[in-house]
Amino acid sequence: MIKFFRHIRQQLLSEGKTGKYFKYAIGEILLVVIGILIALQINNWNEEVGKSQVEKEIIQEIISDLKESRNKLIELSKKDSGKLPEYIRSMKLVEDYFIDQPVYNDSMGIHFTRIFNFSNIEYKITGYETLKSIGFNIIKDREIRKDIGIYFTQTVPQTYRQFELVEKEQYEYITEHQKKDFNTIFLENSTESKVIHIPIDYKNLRQNRDFRQAVKMYRFITDLYFENTKESLSETNKLISTLEEYLNNY
């Protein structure tokens, strides 16, 4: 192609057609410039397509992570069968039992045992970590970037902080009584727990103000954690809906 254009220019010069030569040369330059601009445009378009594909894949991964975290939150906070509501109900039963019942009954074993349990939520954040490593600007929509940032920098850490309070209260006050005031029995066939904790001396334990106050305080803090997990579940559902709608309108 270059040889072809060069041959035409040389022919025009040899024929003394200088005016046509310059016009042709200018046209050739314009043609080359237009070709370069088209190539740059195609390259930019390809880059945008590539960025859009990366954005979609990251959002899809974040949605998948959120759904996994949602399942864990449901397991913790479901009203009728969640672990936290069960623990809170058992603590309240123990408190009331101390008031109403002077004699221990074996049916309370599972409820005393639940006092010494606590459950944490491990959020899955693989997609968010990928987003951080690539750069938040890969997400084109500013509001979507904001929603993702708020969830992973505020909602998730808040739940972890609340759990740390539960864990601290449990270790500082509850575990001490478990060691000195309860017998631990290992069970071979149990649908809920492999161990059960039974008071060594129920009468003395019932009169132990420190233990009763510790159970009450532990229930209060666990209840705050429970409310936090419900709020976190709501925020998780909202973000899932927002991201799915964003992808549907892509």
Side-chain angles (χ1 to χ4, degrees):
M1 183 67 72
I2 294 175
K3 288 183 178 180
F4 174 73
F5 289 138
R6 185 184 299 159
H7 174 72
I8 294 176
R9 289 198 308 271
Q10 289 174 348
Q11 184 178 350
L12 290 171
L13 282 173
S14 65
E15 293 175 356
K17 298 178 179 179
T18 308
K20 287 186 176 181
Y21 170 81
F22 283 116
K23 289 178 181 179
Y24 182 84
I26 292 171
E28 187 179 333
I29 291 170
L30 288 174
L31 185 63
V32 172
V33 170
I34 291 170
I36 292 172
L37 291 175
I38 291 173
L40 288 173
Q41 185 65 32
I42 291 173
N43 184 62
N44 289 337
W45 182 79
N46 287 335
E47 285 184 2
E48 285 301 314
V49 170
K51 287 180 180 178
S52 295
Q53 184 61 33
V54 171
E55 179 188 17
K56 288 171 68 176
E57 289 174 357
I58 289 176
I59 290 177
Q60 286 168 347
E61 186 175 8
I62 291 175
I63 290 173
S64 176
D65 291 350
L66 289 169
K67 288 182 177 179
E68 188 169 326
S69 297
R70 178 176 64 183
N71 291 338
K72 295 176 181 178
L73 285 165
I74 290 172
E75 183 182 349
L76 272 183
S77 60
K78 192 173 181 181
K79 182 177 180 181
D80 296 326
S81 59
K83 291 182 179 179
L84 292 179
E86 283 185 348
Y87 297 164
I88 293 167
R89 282 194 294 268
S90 287
M91 291 178 211
K92 186 66 170 65
L93 280 171
V94 167
E95 291 177 50
D96 293 341
Y97 196 80
F98 277 143
I99 296 172
D100 300 331
Q101 302 296 331
V103 179
Y104 176 75
N105 188 290
D106 287 340
S107 64
M108 290 299 295
I110 187 62
H111 301 295
F112 277 103
T113 301
R114 285 175 181 163
I115 292 174
F116 306 112
N117 294 335
F118 59 89
S119 296
N120 191 14
I121 166 70
E122 287 293 336
Y123 291 89
K124 190 172 183 183
I125 60 172
T126 308
Y128 179 68
E129 291 297 327
T130 301
L131 176 60
K132 284 202 301 182
S133 66
I134 291 176
F136 289 94
N137 285 334
I138 197 70
I139 307 294
K140 297 184 184 73
D141 190 286
R142 179 184 295 179
E143 289 302 313
I144 295 296
R145 290 200 303 268
K146 180 181 175 182
D147 290 343
I148 292 173
I150 288 174
Y151 180 84
F152 286 99
T153 62
Q154 296 182 23
T155 302
V156 172
Q158 175 61 29
T159 305
Y160 282 140
R161 284 193 295 270
Q162 192 63 52
F163 172 73
E164 287 172 2
L165 290 176
V166 173
E167 189 177 37
K168 181 174 181 290
E169 182 75 18
Q170 208 267 358
Y171 275 117
E172 286 191 2
Y173 300 103
I174 300 296
T175 303
E176 175 188 348
H177 289 285
Q178 177 188 343
K179 293 176 181 178
K180 69 179 184 179
D181 295 323
F182 287 80
N183 284 326
T184 300
I185 299 175
F186 293 88
L187 305 176
E188 293 184 1
N189 299 313
S190 174
T191 58
E192 178 172 345
S193 177
K194 294 181 180 180
V195 299
I196 192 164
H197 303 291
I198 298 175
I200 295 173
D201 188 334
Y202 172 76
K203 182 179 179 181
N204 286 334
L205 187 65
R206 182 172 178 251
Q207 296 173 350
N208 188 321
R209 286 188 175 182
D210 288 342
F211 179 71
R212 292 175 63 172
Q213 187 62 32
V215 172
K216 187 175 183 178
M217 181 58 68
Y218 187 45
R219 177 171 62 86
F220 173 74
I221 293 176
T222 303
D223 195 49
L224 290 178
Y225 177 46
F226 172 48
E227 293 300 320
N228 184 266
T229 58
K230 289 195 295 183
E231 184 177 343
S232 180
L233 178 58
S234 174
E235 294 300 319
T236 302
N237 282 326
K238 277 198 281 187
L239 186 55
I240 289 172
S241 297
T242 298
L243 295 181
E244 287 182 335
E245 182 180 357
Y246 180 63
L247 286 184
N248 290 336
N249 295 329
Y250 211 82

